[in-house]
Every structure is written in C-alpha cells, then in structure tokens.
C-alpha cells in the first residue's frame, strides 16, 4: 500500500492547490480584469469550480485514508481518534488565533469563539470564523460514522456502504426537492451528498485492496454507488441545457471531474507525482493557512 499512499498524498496536494487557486481567483481576478488581462483565466474559473473539485478530492482521500487506518491489524479506536484529534485540532486552533489578527471589527463574541473551538460551530447555531471550516464539520461526522460502522463490523462490507450511501442520497434529494426542511446554506444542503464521497473513498479502498478479486456483489455495490454520486451532477447538466446557468454548469462538471482526477492519479505512476506528494504532506496546513496569505497580499501588496 506504500505506493498507493504516495498517490493519495499527491491527490491531497492537488486538492490543496485547486482550493488555493480558487480562492486566489476570488481575490485577484477582478483586479487583473481591471488592468486589462486575465480574461482567459476568469473564464476558466467561472466554468470549472476548482474549489469544489479540490474539496471533493479531499473528501474521497479522507475516506480512503480513514479506511486504511482502521483496517490496519491491531488498530484500536481510541488510538485512531487520538491521532485524528492531534492531526486536526492544534493547527485548527492556531488558525483561529490568526483569524483574530485578520478580523475586521467588531471582534467575534465569546460564544461564537467557544463554539468554533469545538470545530463544529453549526452544532451550537454559531457562524464559522472562516468559511472553509465547514469541510471540517463534514470530516468530524464522517469519523463518527466510520467508527460506528467499524464497531458494527461493517465498514469494509461494500453492500452496506452502498446502502448507507443510498440513504444519504435519498435524504439529499428530499432536501433539494423541498420534501424535507432545507438548511440555509448550500454547504449544509449538500452535507449528505458530501458525506457520500467519503464513503465512496472507503469503497475505493476496499476495491484497491482486493486487487480485482472483489465479489460480484462488491462490484455491483461499487458501480451502483458511483451511479448514485453521478446522478445529481447529471441532473445539473440537464438543467443547464435549458437554463444556461453558469451555476448549473459548474455543479454538473465539478463532481465528475473530481472523481475522474481521483481515478487518473490513483492509477498514475508514482514517479510523476513527487512534487504533488510533497505538497500533500502539508496540505492541511495549506488549506487552513492560505487565506491569511491571500488577505495579507490583497491588503498590503
């Protein structure tokens, strides 16, 4: 699995670069256009949602890595949770501290800050100090779900994973079509759908571990789960045919592109992935810290 982990690190690195490029375009593309250049790049970022592609890659990678960790012989749940805690929280709290230095007055209220310390401010009906923190809430829910599934002994059963994805897909569709109460933000509307990509990362791990020896039901579960994932973006592309909405086009393209990139890089030769794999090692730092660099550059450079 070592070569696979190099590819996974490279996918992390690519995901971080895509998110940085997406946020950089938000800060600087308008300034470039005002100076008479950057039109091609502006069209590119308006057509392809680099940030969404990067986040979906992060979600699939997280599912794969968590499955790899929990499948290791002798792994104990408390050790897994401790490693996750020390990987996520210290740097996250440091990013919160930096956010205070870049915050425009008035400073966040104490209740908001305390809620953010948990990494799950939505649970306390508080606003995230940085918009990108919403992905970490999805991570925490996935960790809880993965632990529950492994305790039940079904985390590595493809049919069970596909069934869980079907449940999440049904909830997502009911929210989007107004059959269930709709959260205020798109991030929470798409929460079940994003969680599906993490479970699909687990399915991908199962498939890669079996090296072509998957059972018939395992293959059916994998391809059935992929069809579930692709249904919403295909619906967006069908809407785009009549609406010509840039939002429909971006939604329709970003998710399939993320899955295609994951597949391509997962099967790429590791000799091509060295630079991205090195970025992947620091991808979490890049994800949390790049906004501060961009804000500093936008304000003072």
């Amino acid at each position: 699995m070592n070569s696979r982990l190099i590819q996974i690190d490279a996918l992390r690195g690519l995901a971080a670069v895509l998110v940085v490029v997406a946020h950089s375009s938000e800060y600087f593309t308008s300034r470039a256009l005002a100076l008479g250049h950057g039109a091609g790049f502006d069209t590119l970022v308006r057509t392809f949602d680099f940030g969404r592609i990067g986040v979906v890659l992060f979600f699939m990678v997280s599912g794969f890595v968590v499955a790899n960790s929990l499948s290791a012989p002798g792994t104990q749940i408390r050790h897994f949770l401790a490693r996750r805690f020390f990987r996520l929280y210290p740097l996250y709290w440091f990013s919160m501290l930096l956010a205070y230095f870049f915050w425009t007055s008035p400073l966040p209220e104490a209740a908001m800050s305390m809620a953010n310390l948990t990494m799950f401010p939505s649970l306390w009906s508080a606003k995230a100090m940085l918009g990108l923190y919403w992905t970490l809430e999805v991570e925490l829910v996935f960790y809880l779900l993965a632990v529950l599934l492994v305790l039940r002994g079904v985390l590595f059963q493809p049919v069970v994973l596909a069934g869980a994805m079907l449940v999440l897909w049904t909830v997502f569709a009911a929210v989007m079509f107004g059959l269930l109460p709709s959260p205020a933000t798109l991030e929470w509307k798409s929460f079940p759908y994003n969680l599906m990509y993490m479970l699909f990362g687990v399915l991908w791990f199962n498939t890669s571990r079996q090296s072509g020896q998957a059972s018939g039901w395992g293959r059916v579960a994998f391809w059935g789960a992929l069809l579930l994932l692709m249904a919403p973006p295909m619906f967006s592309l069908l809407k785009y045919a009549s609406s010509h909405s840039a939002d429909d086009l971006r939604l329709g393209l970003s998710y399939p592109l993320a899955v295609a990139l994951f597949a391509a890089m997962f099967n790429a030769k590791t000799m091509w992935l060295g630079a991205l794999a090195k970025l992947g090692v620091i991808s979490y730092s890049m994800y949390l810290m790049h906004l501060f660099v961009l804000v500093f550059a936008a304000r003072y450079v």
Side-chain angles (χ1 to χ4, degrees), residues 190-247:
S190 58
F191 196 102
Y193 187 55
N194 289 323
L195 204 54
M196 287 174 65
Y197 279 92
M198 292 184 157
L199 290 176
F200 191 64
V202 180
L203 265 177
W204 203 299
F205 171 80
N206 291 340
T207 302
S208 68
R209 183 173 61 166
Q210 291 165 346
S211 302
Q213 302 300 316
S215 67
W217 283 112
R219 290 191 292 271
V220 168
F222 180 88
W223 291 108
L226 182 59
L227 286 174
L228 283 176
L229 287 176
M230 291 300 100
M234 292 305 102
F235 179 76
S236 291
L237 289 177
L238 287 174
K239 283 180 61 182
Y240 173 73
S242 58
S243 70
H244 302 291
S245 165
D247 288 338

Side-chain angles (χ1 to χ4, degrees), residues 22-40:
H23 288 154
S24 298
S25 70
E26 294 174 6
Y27 279 95
F28 300 113
T29 300
S30 61
R31 301 173 187 221
L33 291 173
L35 296 173
H37 57 86

